Each structure stands twice: as structure tokens, then as C-alpha cells.
Amino acid sequence: MKLLTYAFLGTFALQPLTATTAAALEKIETSFVQLSEVTSKNTTLRGVENALKTCSSARGWKFSRVAQGKLIGQLAVRGKHYVEVDVEYSSQAFKISYRDSTNMKYNAAKNTIHKRYNSWIENLTNDVIFCLK
């Protein structure tokens, strides 16, 4: 009887894990950072570009320069998810905006995407800020 009771309770204990397998979608967020609000250092255009390229590499970000003050960032995660961002930057600020993605449940009409996208952009933003401090 005890075995049957434990099996019954175990079924209910696992139910929340199986009921929440669908990933939540979130509105796509654009990250804008005014550097004077996060660091007292004088930053240069080259310093901001270097921070973007080097401080994010540990998380897998790769950047290509398309023009002065403009980069395209690419992130591939576990060979399954892929995102691209546009980065506009100056010695005073930088902005990270959605560009493209694969396997991220992007919906242009609703401006939504897999919830992990925003956390990846937040991590990228925080890494760059940390390097510029």
C-alpha cells in the first residue's frame, strides 16, 4: 500500500516539470547605455569597440565591424540557437538592437522572442560595462 501511495504522490510531484516545457516568449528589448551613467572614466571610440569585442568573447559572442561606430554581433548557443544584433556605439554610449535569429521563436508581428534572448543581451551589456569601469 505504501508503494502505491508513493507512486501516486510521485506522479503529482513530477507534473509541474512536464507541464512547463514550452519556453515563454518576451518582448524584444533594446539595450541602450549612456556611459557617463555607469563609469567615471573617459572612454574612447576604440575603447568601447574593444570592450564589446573582448569582454563578451567568453560567452561566445563574435563581432564584425561594418562601419565606424557599427558592429554586428553573432552568438551561437549549443549549435541550436543563433542570434544577431546590431551595435551602434560612440565614446559616450552604445546601443544593442535585435537584427536576426534562428530557432528563437521570433514573431515580428508581436515583437516577441524566446525569453533567453533578453538575458543574453543583458549579460552582454553588463560584460561591456564591467570592462569599461
Side-chain angles (χ1 to χ4, degrees):
M1 183 69 176
K2 279 186 178 180
L3 184 60
L4 184 60
T5 304
Y6 289 128
F8 182 73
L9 291 174
T11 302
F12 284 111
L14 293 176
Q15 188 174 6
L17 296 175
T18 58
T20 59
T21 57
L25 299 178
E26 294 181 349
K27 293 285 185 189
I28 293 176
E29 295 178 13
T30 298
S31 176
F32 178 80
V33 176
Q34 188 70 38
L35 294 174
S36 63
E37 294 176 5
V38 295
T39 183
S40 58
K41 288 185 180 177
N42 288 331
T43 54
T44 64
L45 188 66
R46 175 169 266 171
V48 175
E49 180 176 337
N50 287 340
L52 283 156
K53 288 181 174 180
T54 59
C55 298
S56 59
S57 63
R59 294 188 196 266
W61 284 98
K62 294 179 178 16
F63 287 92
S64 303
R65 188 175 196 223
V66 292
Q68 185 169 334
K70 293 184 190 249
L71 298 172
I72 293 177
Q74 301 171 324
L75 178 66
V77 179
R78 293 184 306 275
K80 183 178 178 183
H81 304 287
Y82 175 79
V83 296
E84 274 187 8
V85 293
D86 286 317
V87 181
E88 297 177 51
Y89 61 97
S90 68
S91 59
Q92 291 86 34
F94 67 90
K95 179 174 91 170
I96 303 169
S97 306
Y98 176 83
R99 178 181 178 88
D100 195 14
S101 65
T102 303
N103 202 23
M104 292 296 293
K105 300 181 181 183
Y106 173 64
N107 183 323
K110 294 181 179 179
N111 194 38
T112 57
I113 197 163
H114 189 288
K115 68 179 183 175
R116 294 297 296 153
Y117 169 82
N118 286 327
S119 66
W120 295 337
I121 299 306
E122 184 178 347
N123 287 338
L124 171 60
T125 301
N126 290 336
D127 290 346
V128 174
I129 291 170
F130 179 79
C131 282
L132 291 172
K133 284 189 174 187

